[in-house]
Amino acid sequence: MSKTNNNDRNLYYLNEVSDYEVSDSDKDVRGWPLKDKDGVYIGTVANLLVSKQDQRVVYLDVEVDESILRTNHKTYQSPANEGAHGFLNKEGENHLIVPVGMVSLNLEEEIVNTPMLDHHIFSGTKRVAPGSMIDRHYETQVLESYHKDSQLRFSDEEREANNSALYKRKDYTKMYAGAY
């Protein structure tokens, strides 16, 4: 994670901002299990990430299960025309973010599902230490990982820190009712 000036910061964990709370019309999914499209347990929703500029939750912060941490993965790569790069997840990096538009809720069983993502994708996604400041570079890196088969491209505006253009993508269209 890169060092970001706190004045440039847009994303905050819900427990960091005392003036934000989950609305009565929504479900607080913290503590709920996250399962992939095949029903494989990925981890537990540890927190919610709020975009202060957009005044809404845009990510779930997930503590990844040990079984996913141990899974071998192919190194993350960007398309060949941009050059390939990789990453190594370090000891203690056991959290990842999932955009709210990529999940659905099973309210009856209190489970968060990712209908388009499987455990192989999660095992190959760059993770962070709990409570890490999330910057735009990490956000786009994660989205590229989740969309690696689609040759995802970001506009300059979407890559710009503190610009809410990124959150207009379908990945951020809330799949569960209500506002935070």
Side-chain angles (χ1 to χ4, degrees), residues 2-15:
S2 65
K3 299 278 185 199
T4 304
N5 181 326
N6 214 24
N7 294 334
D8 295 335
R9 188 173 177 196
N10 180 44
L11 293 177
Y12 291 83
Y13 293 92
L14 187 60
N15 63 351

Side-chain angles (χ1 to χ4, degrees), residues 27 31-33 106-112:
K27 292 293 180 190
W32 289 24
N106 178 332
L107 297 175
E108 188 173 295
E109 296 181 33
E110 294 189 342
I111 296 171
V112 180

Side-chain angles (χ1 to χ4, degrees), residues 64-72 93-95 123 127:
V64 181
D65 184 65
E66 188 67 32
S67 64
I68 301 300
L69 298 176
R70 287 190 309 261
T71 303
N72 291 331
E93 292 181 334
N94 64 346
H95 281 241
S123 70
R127 297 183 294 269

Side-chain angles (χ1 to χ4, degrees), residues 77-85 151 153:
Q77 292 184 344
S78 59
N81 63 347
E82 293 180 19
H85 63 280
Q151 306 259 330
R153 300 280 188 266

Side-chain angles (χ1 to χ4, degrees), residues 110-125:
E110 294 189 342
I111 296 171
V112 180
N113 295 298
T114 57
M116 300 179 306
L117 303 174
D118 67 25
H119 66 281
H120 297 294
I121 290 172
F122 289 114
S123 70
T125 298

